[in-house]
Amino acid sequence: MGSNGIQKRTGGGRPTRIDQDGDLDMDAPSKTGGRGARRGGGRSIDINSAPKGPAADRTGASGSGVTRSRGGRSRGGTRKGRPTDQSMIGIKVCGWKQSKGSAEECVRFLERKTNMKFRKTSKHGDTLVIYIPPARLQAVLDWDKAKFAGVNLRITADVITDLFNTTMAAATPQNSNTTATIGILEQVLEVRYKPETRLLDLSNLGEEPLLKANGFFELNSTTSKMFPALMAVADKKFASQQAKRDAVVSVSLANNSLSSISPVTTLSLTFPDIRNLTLEGNRIADMKSMEGWKNRFRFLEVLIMTGNPIVDLPDYRHEMIRRYPRLTLLDNTLVDRPKIEPVAGGPSQNPSTSVDAKGRPILPLPTKPDLTVDMNGWVMNFLAKYYVSYDNSKDVVIKYCYTAESKFSLSVNTSAPRVEAQQGERQFWDDYIPKSRNMKRLQDTSEIISRVAVGPSEIFELWNSLPAVKHDMSNIAAWCFDIFPVEVAPGVEGVFVCVHGEFEEENKKSGKVIKRSFDRTFMLHVTGPEAIKVVSDMLVIRSYSGLAGVKVESVPTVEPIPETPVPKYEPTPEEKQTKITQLAETAGLTEKAAEDALVHSDWDLENSWDRYVYCHVGFP
Amino acid sequence: MADFNTVATQFTEYYYTTFDNNRSQLVPLYDSNESLLTFEGAQVQGAKAIMEKLETLPFTKVLHKISTLDAQPADPSGAILVLVTGQLLIDDGEHPQSFSQTFHLIPRDGSYYVRNDVFRLVYG
């Protein structure tokens, strides 16, 4: 399994190097190697290997009581010397005493509201103190004045760890102070910002006289902290999100010897809308090192990674194009997105508005938090073709995708919640009910058996008895995919596909067009990009539930991500350790604190780190 | 061997009752190495990791309300594919969450284990 960028931890006080080109050695060279074991349908994951290295420390530290965190960590100390009490901060909850509820009920109430589990709470007279990781501070503070058992709670964090200051302190060279650091970094930004081109040029910082002269590179530990501090200062420089958007369109981080983007992850929060980014001439070697910017920079059009080992990975271009859906130029080569062709002989007697002149759907590749362990994009391509042809010429789909062994069945979920606009509207399920194989409702055994269509002709017949529908895959935000390899039969490799989406139906009975949602599970036998056969095909049709996103009850989003809910991500123990180490390193935290933050951010590294930076009070 | 419809029906009934009452008891349904849980797009493999994931989901009380259940034989060896949709009531909350879950059941020693378990909360 490849690990990345964590070697310097074990190396101890390795001195900072400026290499022959004058580049600043930000980070230890990353071990190259693949992305680790592919997550497959069962057999190829090495998940049981124990976490390595500093994990031992971690276990030792856990179990100790948590106390209120305070800043003022001394610089330059060894990791073990750092206090463990940074892991949690105390939040005061008042007002519950006047309510009808107990302190315990109040805790449970807040746990429910914040969707968190509080590991430690204590009661001091009228005050209830809840200890939480700093990353979750805002999530709890958002419930200030929330109504609990007849009273309004007062939730305060009167001692907020000043994370901004911590970040600055960590970056500050010896014999200096944080105010000076902030000042210098502001100057750096001033010098490096080119208003005429709206470029923030942070390239070659190892050569930056302001940083060199002020001793920023004297200590290795300081060096790796400089970037986070610079990012934090950059965030302060512009008042509003709009100001940032207006001021900075391009960012250069070229030639900074970065082996991972983790020191600069927050760039994607400060400038989420930039269009041009260069990381040219760094040392990024694998996708993992870019993980923090996955699902970020939605508007990125130009990305330059030349001079990084990563460009030699076989999947590199494909993966980058997938991650940044608007990319038009990658490493000065035009992005050639896979063209979506209809199935051979395919439509289109009936082109919808969302297909191009040739009847192809205009399909941006999905960047939702889908799981797509796809084979070179074959399956996504297949699905795009599949739905166009399904809507227009089912015979073609049957001919090319279904075999004598293929099975299809459908169920109607009449009780699924629907969008407000359809509340009280009759849903006209009449065409589907007689075909529905919902065994929650259907009791007749012979019907249960007969409602699985087997082989091309039965499936074709069943499809033709259903109303005409239109799937619009160009509106990709309305779709969600889980795609990963599976053994479709012993020794037979294939792909598991779960699709959730929507379609429009020309309902004859009502004479109306009815929008509906669906869930569909396919098992595909894949032997090549043009040789994909459906083994199993199960469809659930339900009332249109809209795109409101998953309404997880009462969870305020600190940083709203517009289109989709963030998936829960559970890394392997090794990945966990890597993340813990990375976060500890970047945020200057103990491993225990980093682990806590990660656990509470569902192992989302940038989330943990972003919140460390963002949940702070202002300048001193 | 019982027919796949009966297996699917009994399996889902057992699975969701157990999940709602005591999640930790689900462990025998998963294989220690081969089972793969795809939960909201994130994958964990092996019974131990899967249980860790399920047991640390951020709610204490949960109730699955099943709306649809369909099953198909998945391969000649007797594997079964089960697709369930329904609603999830979390901690007595007011807004049920719609979910969709697919199980890929593999026969072994006269019983079945879950090879794949794909769960998604769906919009609603």
Side-chain angles (χ1 to χ4, degrees), chain A residues 39-42 45 47-48 112 115 117 368-371 407-409 411-413 415 417 437-440 448 477 480-482 484 486-490 496 498 500 519 521 523 535-538 540 542 545-546 549-553 567-570 576, chain B residues 4-5 8-9 32-34 36 38-45 49 52-53 58-60 65-77 81-83 85-87 90-91 93-98 100 102 104 115-116 118-124:
Chain A
R39 305 219 154 183
I45 304 178
I47 203 160
N48 293 320
R112 221 160 46 230
N115 209 5
K117 277 248 164 263
K368 300 180 40 146
D370 298 329
L371 176 79
K407 295 174 191 69
F408 171 81
S409 56
S411 313
V412 183
N413 181 345
S415 55
R437 201 176 179 278
N438 179 9
M439 292 195 286
K440 271 319 249 192
I448 287 176
C480 171
F481 304 90
D482 285 307
F484 57 91
V486 70
E487 208 176 36
V488 292
F496 210 105
C498 292
H500 312 280
D519 308 292
T521 297
M523 284 241 270
V535 179
S536 310
D537 179 357
M538 300 172 89
V540 173
R542 50 191 165 82
S545 56
V550 180
K551 280 184 226 141
V552 179
E553 199 197 12
K568 290 279 192 307
Y569 167 60
E570 184 64 24
K576 283 185 183 178
Chain B
F4 68 92
N5 294 312
T9 310
S32 56
N33 293 314
E34 292 190 347
L36 183 65
T38 306
F39 188 89
E40 293 275 86
Q43 296 195 308
V44 277
Q45 181 156 22
E52 197 183 305
K53 175 77 194 170
F59 46 74
T60 44
K65 208 173 141 265
I66 307 309
S67 306
T68 71
L69 162 63
D70 189 7
Q72 285 181 8
D75 73 44
S77 78
L81 215 51
V82 185
L83 174 55
T85 66
Q87 293 181 33
I90 295 166
D91 287 333
E94 288 159 25
H95 305 294
Q97 308 290 305
S98 281
S100 167
T102 306
H104 184 204
R115 165 66 74 85
N116 282 286
V118 187
F119 178 93
R120 276 270 178 190
L121 287 174
V122 288
Y123 303 135

Side-chain angles (χ1 to χ4, degrees), chain A residues 379-390:
Chain A
V379 176
M380 279 308 293
N381 250 321
F382 167 81
L383 290 170
K385 293 179 196 174
Y386 182 95
Y387 278 108
V388 170
S389 302
Y390 180 87

Side-chain angles (χ1 to χ4, degrees), chain B residues 3-78:
Chain B
D3 83 288
F4 68 92
N5 294 312
T6 313
V7 173
T9 310
Q10 287 174 355
F11 168 81
T12 39
E13 200 161 299
Y14 178 79
Y15 181 89
Y16 291 112
T17 311
T18 310
F19 196 109
D20 295 350
N21 288 317
N22 187 356
R23 273 175 265 173
S24 63
Q25 299 297 308
L26 291 171
V27 65
L29 296 179
Y30 296 98
D31 180 85
S32 56
N33 293 314
E34 292 190 347
S35 292
L36 183 65
L37 169 69
T38 306
F39 188 89
E40 293 275 86
Q43 296 195 308
V44 277
Q45 181 156 22
K48 199 165 159 250
I50 291 172
M51 291 318 298
E52 197 183 305
K53 175 77 194 170
L54 295 182
E55 288 180 55
T56 52
L57 292 175
F59 46 74
T60 44
K61 207 170 146 191
V62 65
L63 184 67
H64 289 80
K65 208 173 141 265
I66 307 309
S67 306
T68 71
L69 162 63
D70 189 7
Q72 285 181 8
D75 73 44
S77 78

Side-chain angles (χ1 to χ4, degrees), chain A residues 121-409:
Chain A
T121 59
S122 58
K123 208 163 65 178
H124 309 279
D126 291 359
T127 306
L128 182 65
V129 182
I130 292 170
Y131 297 89
I132 58 159
R136 287 302 186 95
L137 179 62
Q138 200 54 48
V140 180
L141 286 180
D142 281 349
W143 292 98
D144 182 30
K145 302 194 178 68
K147 197 139 196 132
F148 164 71
V151 301
N152 289 325
L153 294 176
R154 292 190 307 283
I155 304 177
T156 51
D158 54 356
V159 188
I160 297 175
T161 307
D162 191 343
L163 290 158
F164 182 83
N165 286 342
T166 312
T167 307
M168 289 306 146
T172 301
Q174 236 140 15
N175 312 320
S176 183
N177 59 59
T178 55
T179 316
T181 298
I182 295 166
I184 290 158
L185 293 178
E186 278 174 339
Q187 281 181 55
V188 171
L189 286 174
E190 201 65 40
V191 173
R192 295 304 196 104
Y193 176 59
K194 317 282 181 228
E196 63 281 5
T197 48
R198 297 197 280 172
L199 164 70
L200 185 58
D201 182 3
L202 303 178
S203 63
N204 234 329
L205 285 175
E207 286 291 280
E208 173 54 52
L210 276 166
L211 294 172
K212 271 167 108 174
N214 288 289
F216 272 83
F217 305 128
E218 280 158 17
L219 281 173
N220 177 48
S221 61
T222 312
T223 309
S224 63
K225 305 285 186 326
M226 188 277 296
F227 258 107
L230 187 63
M231 294 296 128
V233 171
D235 189 54
K236 295 276 175 199
K237 185 177 158 78
F238 302 95
S240 67
Q241 206 59 38
Q242 190 59 42
K244 290 173 197 165
R245 202 174 297 135
D246 293 344
V248 178
V249 174
S250 311
V251 173
S252 170
L253 284 164
N255 304 319
N256 282 311
S257 302
L258 293 163
S259 64
S260 159
I261 56 101
S262 66
V264 288
T265 319
T266 50
L267 182 77
S268 68
L269 271 191
T270 304
F271 304 112
D273 303 325
I274 55 168
R275 302 223 199 96
N276 311 300
L277 174 67
T278 172
L279 284 162
E280 201 177 349
N282 282 291
R283 296 177 184 169
I284 296 165
D286 53 23
M287 290 297 166
K288 237 183 193 170
S289 308
M290 294 287 289
E291 197 70 16
W293 283 346
K294 217 174 160 181
N295 296 323
R296 300 299 175 96
F297 297 129
R298 295 292 184 128
F299 301 99
L300 202 61
E301 290 168 5
V302 177
L303 175 64
I304 301 172
M305 303 279 304
T306 37
N308 288 276
I310 192 174
V311 301
D312 297 326
L313 294 183
D315 268 354
Y316 159 74
R317 278 191 75 85
H318 177 79
E319 180 63 19
M320 286 301 159
I321 291 166
R322 202 180 68 80
R323 287 187 180 190
Y324 305 105
R326 304 219 181 170
L327 219 52
T328 53
L329 204 62
L330 176 60
D331 304 336
N332 294 321
T333 310
L334 274 174
V335 168
D336 181 23
R337 291 191 184 276
K339 295 284 188 296
I340 308 302
E341 304 280 356
V343 174
S348 50
Q349 310 94 310
N350 213 355
S352 79
T353 49
S354 54
V355 296
D356 67 19
K358 288 180 181 161
R360 299 181 302 219
I362 300 150
L363 180 71
L365 289 173
T367 51
K368 300 180 40 146
D370 298 329
L371 176 79
T372 44
V373 187
D374 200 342
M375 301 170 165
N376 310 310
W378 293 352
V379 176
M380 279 308 293
N381 250 321
F382 167 81
L383 290 170
K385 293 179 196 174
Y386 182 95
Y387 278 108
V388 170
S389 302
Y390 180 87
D391 294 351
N392 296 296
S393 32
K394 295 190 171 52
D395 54 327
V396 174
V397 185
I398 291 287
K399 185 176 167 195
Y400 287 95
C401 312
Y402 288 77
T403 69
E405 281 76 45
S406 303
K407 295 174 191 69
F408 171 81
S409 56

Side-chain angles (χ1 to χ4, degrees), chain A residues 590-608:
Chain A
T590 61
E591 293 226 340
K592 179 76 177 65
E595 188 187 5
D596 278 330
L598 282 160
V599 167
H600 285 273
S601 310
D602 293 312
W603 297 95
D604 183 346
L605 187 63
E606 69 262 41
N607 231 347
S608 315

